[in-house]
Amino acid sequence: DWTFKTDCPIDSPRGFLKHQDMPKEYVEYSVKHLYELIDKYHPSILWNDIAFPYGYNLNELFAHYYNTVEDGVIDDRWNQRKVPKTEEEWQEVERRGAAGLAGNTTTHYDFITPEYQVFDSQQPVKWECTRGIGRSFGFNRTECGSDYLNGAQIIDMLVRIVSRGGNLLLNIGPRADGTVPYEQVKPLLETGEWLRVNGEAIYGTRPHSTLEYKDADGCSVCMTKTRDALYAIALRPDMPASYEVKGLMLEENAHVELLGAGEVQWFAEEDCTVFNLPENLPKQAAYTLKIHR
């Protein structure tokens, strides 16, 4: 905040870390803002980014938040870094990286927020992938349509994240006048149309014990579940009439439907299940087989 620190441009990793050494007046100012937001608006998520000034007892703020918003959650970006004072300390930071600096405090959090990252496995903690629809958080006038995710890419990413127990936080960047570029709107509408048919395989689901299978063509088949059903989501833009999923074995009398198309017949082979699907299915980025329990 250059209102409080006017002599510290963020033009290098050292400048980035120096800027976190804020005076006590800034800390008081920032904490008052947070209390006001909590007391007036009861936010479901208390989200901070980058870090928080070293030395303030964040447990007091967190306790007030939880006492005010009983089901609220806190993100993992409240790290408090003790900023180096001597050149020797700076050299140690540059050698080890800021995360290795003695005196760092990793504070309490409820979920982690990896940026632009999809994990290959289910994580031991709650997590939410956060990223822009392009390469920026906010509108970047140097980006063009090819820099933005398309609908198929969003759907693929969303399915992989949810099947691994995560959430997706997707940022868009309005222009200065508040309008959203059509290049960003179009993939969101495409994702919405897909969710209109397949949303029950995403909303309110949990990971299956096997997160992913492969079909006969090597395409991913991601799994989610609810109390009443399993969902096998085929990440491919077309489906053969005879669709084989390796390793997926169903109970003998399982009832199966393809979301948006109706009931399908199936049979088991030695190491796979084969689904007899309707021909000429409408083209989608992914298809969902619902297996009733």
Side-chain angles (χ1 to χ4, degrees):
D1 189 327
W2 281 275
T3 306
F4 290 87
K5 202 173 185 70
T6 59
D7 59 346
C8 187
I10 301 177
D11 55 4
S12 65
R14 183 177 288 203
F16 176 78
L17 190 55
K18 270 187 176 182
H19 202 78
Q20 296 175 33
D21 186 20
M22 299 296 285
K24 66 177 183 178
E25 291 82 6
Y26 169 78
V27 177
E28 293 172 358
Y29 168 83
S30 182
V31 169
K32 285 178 181 178
H33 270 299
L34 288 162
Y35 271 78
E36 181 178 0
L37 289 167
I38 293 167
D39 294 340
K40 282 190 174 183
Y41 302 105
H42 291 209
S44 298
I45 300 174
L46 193 63
W47 175 286
N48 190 64
D49 201 7
I50 302 174
F52 201 80
Y54 185 80
Y56 175 75
N57 183 4
L58 279 169
N59 289 330
E60 294 181 4
L61 174 69
F62 294 164
H64 179 71
Y65 174 62
Y66 286 131
N67 287 334
T68 307
V69 187
E70 292 184 358
D71 60 350
V73 292
I74 295 171
D75 79 334
D76 63 337
R77 301 185 181 208
W78 298 82
N79 288 346
Q80 295 177 288
R81 298 183 176 98
K82 186 177 180 181
V83 179
K85 301 297 184 183
T86 67
E87 184 59 31
E88 289 76 13
E89 288 178 336
W90 278 113
Q91 291 176 2
E92 178 69 7
V93 171
E94 289 165 358
R95 185 180 70 82
R96 300 178 60 189
L101 177 64
N104 278 8
T105 301
T106 300
T107 59
H108 164 81
Y109 58 85
D110 294 307
F111 65 103
I112 62 174
T113 56
E115 282 191 10
Y116 287 78
Q117 181 180 2
V118 179
F119 292 119
D120 292 330
S121 60
Q122 188 175 355
Q123 299 302 297
V125 295
K126 295 180 176 65
W127 67 283
E128 180 174 77
C129 170
T130 174
R131 61 156 296 157
I133 197 168
R135 301 176 184 178
S136 305
F137 287 100
F139 179 68
N140 183 342
R141 64 184 177 181
T142 68
E143 289 185 332
C144 60
S146 61
D147 293 308
Y148 298 135
L149 295 172
N150 59 41
Q153 290 171 323
I154 294 175
I155 292 163
D156 183 285
M157 176 178 59
L158 174 64
V159 169
R160 292 182 189 276
I161 289 170
V162 172
S163 70
R164 289 149 176 80
N167 293 334
L168 170 62
L169 178 60
L170 184 64
N171 176 269
I172 63 170
R175 300 184 184 95
D177 63 0
T179 60
V180 180
Y182 181 70
E183 294 88 350
Q184 296 184 29
V185 172
K186 184 174 182 288
L188 297 178
L189 293 174
E190 292 169 349
T191 304
E193 284 301 311
W194 185 83
L195 286 168
R196 193 185 308 276
V197 175
N198 300 275
E200 66 175 272
I202 299 295
Y203 300 120
T205 62
R206 295 291 181 267
H208 184 45
S209 55
T210 300
L211 304 182
E212 183 177 314
Y213 294 98
K214 297 291 184 180
D215 64 20
D217 296 320
C219 297
S220 294
V221 181
C222 292
M223 303 295 295
T224 62
K225 68 179 181 180
T226 62
R227 181 177 299 177
D228 303 318
L230 299 178
Y231 297 93
I233 309 171
L235 297 178
R236 53 184 298 160
D238 54 13
M239 293 284 273
S242 179
Y243 183 61
E244 177 182 314
V245 181
K246 296 183 177 298
L248 176 61
M249 309 305 295
L250 307 185
E251 295 182 1
E252 183 176 351
N253 296 318
H255 171 62
V256 180
E257 64 176 303
L258 185 67
L259 294 185
E263 185 175 357
V264 299
Q265 301 300 315
W266 63 275
F267 61 90
E269 292 194 342
E270 183 176 350
D271 61 348
C272 67
T273 298
V274 180
F275 301 91
N276 295 322
L277 305 180
E279 296 184 359
N280 302 316
L281 289 168
K283 194 172 183 63
Q284 295 189 116
Y287 297 82
T288 303
L289 289 159
K290 179 179 181 179
I291 304 159
H292 296 262
R293 294 192 174 187

